[in-house]
Amino acid sequence: MKDVVMHQPEMVCIAARWIKTLEGMVTATRVLHSAETWNERYSEPSFVFGTQLNAYLADKCVLIEPGKTALAVADGEGRNSVWLAQQGLQVDAFDISPVGVAKARQLAQQASVKVNYRVCSCDDWDWQPAAYDYVVAMCNLPIPTCARGFLRT
């Protein structure tokens, strides 16, 4: 079990978890969805969430500077990572679902952009302090403590 701390809702990890609140701290108790769950969800031919970037991310596009680095956390079928790459960023992305990552790679190829995809969970990602200029995680769950200090300052 890993501790997580509540963070700004717009910058949170999509590592789906059941959360227990205790004296202002949030404790992750278990992973809500397994790779099998997401593989099943992403197995349909169409894109579950579409291919257009997340509306919240679209609203923040003025903050994106080409040439910087980005990590797309739990990126699913790749709509956000592909858009980030289209903006001139060097993008790494990961998701727990091999099916989702395969679709993300296909989407990136169709868009003629390069994204470095990896299949892994938030818990298995090698979180390194100050490794990225942007970390994009589109969900309203807390970010793991292991990811704190991850953004460059």
Side-chain angles (χ1 to χ4, degrees):
M1 186 178 333
K2 293 188 177 184
D3 290 337
V4 291
V5 177
M6 288 303 289
H7 200 62
Q8 297 175 10
E10 64 271 11
M11 296 186 68
V12 294
C13 184
I14 197 169
R17 300 173 184 266
W18 288 105
I19 307 299
K20 177 182 176 184
T21 304
L22 179 61
E23 298 178 1
M25 295 188 70
V26 179
T27 303
T29 58
R30 69 181 178 92
V31 174
L32 177 61
H33 294 291
S34 66
E36 292 77 25
T37 300
W38 286 104
N39 283 338
E40 183 178 329
R41 189 162 188 194
Y42 293 142
S43 66
E44 63 182 68
S46 63
F47 285 75
V48 174
F49 299 105
T51 57
Q52 298 301 312
L53 76 148
N54 175 282
Y56 179 84
L57 182 57
D59 187 49
K60 303 302 178 199
C61 67
V62 296
L63 302 174
I64 303 295
E65 296 179 37
K68 302 244 179 189
T69 59
L71 173 65
V73 176
D75 191 48
E77 299 165 304
R79 66 185 179 143
N80 296 318
S81 59
V82 167
W83 181 83
L84 290 165
Q86 288 172 324
Q87 306 315 299
L89 298 176
Q90 298 171 18
V91 182
D92 289 340
F94 69 87
D95 194 86
I96 196 170
S97 167
V99 174
V101 170
K103 289 174 80 174
R105 286 181 174 129
Q106 174 189 4
L107 187 63
Q109 183 178 14
Q110 290 171 351
S112 300
V113 295
K114 182 180 183 295
V115 177
N116 180 31
Y117 289 107
R118 185 169 154 212
V119 175
C120 74
S121 70
C122 283
D123 290 332
D124 293 332
W125 181 258
D126 183 22
W127 298 99
Q128 296 294 318
Y132 295 94
D133 297 301
Y134 306 102
V135 175
V136 176
M138 305 311 301
C139 184
N140 289 317
L141 296 175
I143 194 162
T145 358
C146 60
R148 291 173 54 205
F150 186 64
L151 289 170
R152 291 184 181 148
T153 56

